[in-house]
Amino acid sequence: MAENETSQPAAADSEQKATPQINALAQYMKDLSFEAPGAPGILRELKSNPAINVNVAVNANAVGEDTFDVVLKLEAKALMDEKVVFATELEYGGVFRVTGFPKEHVTPVIYIECPRLLFPFARQIIANTVQAGGFPPLMLEPIDFAQLFARSAAEAKAREAVSNNSQTVN
């Protein structure tokens, strides 16, 4: 009987200290658009590489106790002499189960690690889409999602401080 008593707390301990895991349950393309407003003429006019602006955003929503829908939004616009050469936008999502992490680490995992797992697939879709539009494939550089998350958190903190100051003044 003494053996059973000692083995039960050990089992409870192992459940509480579960190994941190991120499981991709599904991946999907939510939205994809591509436009080349000057085609086919713009294809002849290209004499050098156009300037390319890229915007990145990450959104996440809980869909269960430990399950999250994470959407990576990539926008790329190529410009030549103020003319739009092409513009593409992709929203690529994944449903992830995040377990075994301390509560304070769950949000960074969702906004850093989950988009990091989605990015290679989204990058390939953008490259293929631009190439199908008649242009060389657009190979996006790797994205530092930790830096993106830190910047977003700092901006939210600054907005909160401004909001608190304006409430104090009134």
Side-chain angles (χ1 to χ4, degrees):
M1 189 168 180
E3 287 176 345
N4 285 344
E5 289 176 25
T6 57
S7 65
Q8 287 175 349
D13 257 355
S14 67
E15 286 177 24
Q16 288 177 350
K17 295 179 182 178
T19 303
Q21 291 185 343
I22 305 170
N23 302 103
L25 305 178
Q27 289 181 227
Y28 61 94
M29 186 166 32
K30 187 171 188 171
D31 185 36
L32 173 64
S33 68
F34 177 84
E35 58 184 87
I42 196 77
L43 296 169
R44 288 188 305 268
E45 294 174 24
L46 281 177
K47 292 176 178 59
S48 63
N49 291 336
I52 298 177
N53 299 320
V54 177
N55 291 314
V56 179
V58 177
N59 294 308
N61 295 303
V63 294
E65 184 179 330
D66 59 359
T67 307
F68 302 88
D69 178 33
V70 179
V71 177
L72 174 60
K73 183 175 184 178
L74 300 171
E75 297 175 341
K77 186 181 277 189
L79 300 167
M80 182 180 70
D81 301 327
E82 304 293 323
K83 278 199 237 177
V84 175
V85 176
F86 66 81
T88 186
E89 180 180 314
L90 171 66
E91 288 185 38
Y92 191 77
V95 178
F96 295 90
R97 181 175 296 124
V98 178
T99 57
F101 288 91
K103 192 172 186 165
E104 65 273 9
H105 294 172
V106 172
T107 298
V109 165
I110 293 166
Y111 284 91
I112 297 169
E113 296 306 323
C114 294
R116 191 177 311 198
L117 294 170
L118 293 172
F119 180 73
F121 300 97
R123 178 181 191 229
Q124 188 63 49
I125 291 168
I126 292 285
N128 291 343
T129 301
V130 171
Q131 186 174 31
F135 302 94
L138 174 59
M139 299 307 289
L140 297 173
E141 294 293 322
I143 296 169
D144 185 347
F145 289 103
Q147 181 184 22
L148 187 66
F149 176 72
R151 188 175 353 149
S152 179
E155 288 171 2
K157 192 173 183 179
R159 280 192 302 272
E160 184 180 319
V162 167
S163 175
N164 288 341
N165 286 341
S166 67
Q167 289 175 1
T168 306
V169 173
N170 294 331

